[in-house]
Amino acid sequence: RYLIEDCKGVDLGGGVYEAFNTTIKIEAYPIGIEAEGFAEAARTEKAKEAADRIGRFLGGRNLVIGVDRMDYSKGLPERFEAVGQLFDDYPETHGRVSVTQIAPPSRSKVDEYRELRQTLDRLAGRINGDYGDLDWIPLRYLARSYEREELAGLFKIARVGLVTPLRDGMNLVCKEFIMAQDEDDPG
């Protein structure tokens, strides 16, 4: 509609349009997850083992989890700054909330991404240095990938799934978080 009404484009039929002195084809490519498959992944032994592993360190604390590839579009520095602000402004969260951010590096050979990694390292260090204690790590930052079943197990025990991209058109983590939840005790 935009091409025709605002750009004086011509509908040639079959999703083909002429606009801006060129011919373009427009199609919809819906995306999603295999919902039942992810729910099943959250019930596997590998999911339970991952949940048990992190559960030993949580000590009953509420888990907030984010899973994003290390990319500038994901807003990870801004997310870390917000986590720091949470602990700065709300001392009652100290020792009660643990944030885990899983961020597998992408394009690690590109300078911009190396700088992003250094920024995240610095911010996590500031938060943990200011607020961490012998028995509590406020921000667990893991720059590596995990298997699907392990992520499903982590999502299952988390109270909050943190998804805050700056620019992103296909973030499916929120759907995975929902499908991993226990119906009787959702995050």
Side-chain angles (χ1 to χ4, degrees):
R1 192 168 127 191
Y2 168 75
L3 286 174
I4 293 170
E5 293 177 8
D6 295 339
C7 303
K8 303 193 182 0
V10 178
D11 184 349
L12 302 176
V16 177
Y17 297 85
E18 188 175 297
F20 310 110
N21 297 321
T22 191
T23 302
I24 56 175
K25 182 165 178 81
I26 299 174
E27 294 184 80
Y29 296 97
I31 62 164
I33 66 167
E34 204 248 301
E36 285 308 313
F38 202 84
E40 182 60 35
R43 294 187 289 269
T44 64
E45 189 59 34
K46 189 170 270 197
K48 184 178 179 337
E49 288 170 8
D52 289 346
R53 282 179 61 200
I54 200 167
R56 287 193 298 269
F57 295 100
L58 287 174
R61 295 179 183 92
N62 292 311
L63 174 62
V64 176
I65 190 164
V67 177
D68 305 87
R69 74 183 190 289
M70 194 178 296
D71 185 275
Y72 64 91
S73 70
K74 302 299 182 178
L76 293 173
E78 292 82 358
R79 183 179 304 172
F80 281 26
E81 289 170 357
V83 167
Q85 195 70 49
L86 169 77
F87 293 125
D88 290 344
D89 293 350
Y90 297 94
E92 63 272 20
T93 62
H94 300 180
R96 296 181 61 208
V97 173
S98 288
V99 178
T100 293
Q101 176 64 53
I102 297 173
S106 64
R107 303 181 186 108
S108 59
K109 303 264 188 278
V110 178
D111 286 343
E112 186 175 86
Y113 289 88
R114 277 198 300 268
E115 290 172 16
L116 174 59
R117 170 75 186 257
Q118 291 171 351
T119 298
L120 297 177
D121 292 349
R122 178 181 50 77
L123 290 168
R126 194 284 287 181
I127 293 164
N128 290 330
D130 286 354
Y131 296 110
D133 208 336
L134 296 175
D135 63 347
W136 176 55
I137 299 171
L139 174 59
R140 180 173 278 109
Y141 159 52
L142 305 167
R144 56 163 288 200
S145 59
Y146 288 84
E147 293 182 28
R148 180 175 190 243
E149 290 83 5
E150 292 172 306
L151 292 174
L154 298 176
F155 287 154
K156 187 173 185 171
I157 66 164
R159 302 300 292 170
V160 175
L162 197 56
V163 181
T164 60
L166 297 177
R167 294 177 296 277
D168 198 358
M170 300 190 300
N171 198 311
L172 302 175
V173 170
C174 52
K175 293 180 179 187
E176 293 173 338
F177 177 80
I178 296 298
M179 291 312 301
Q181 296 304 300
D182 181 338
E183 289 182 23
D184 296 328
D185 184 24

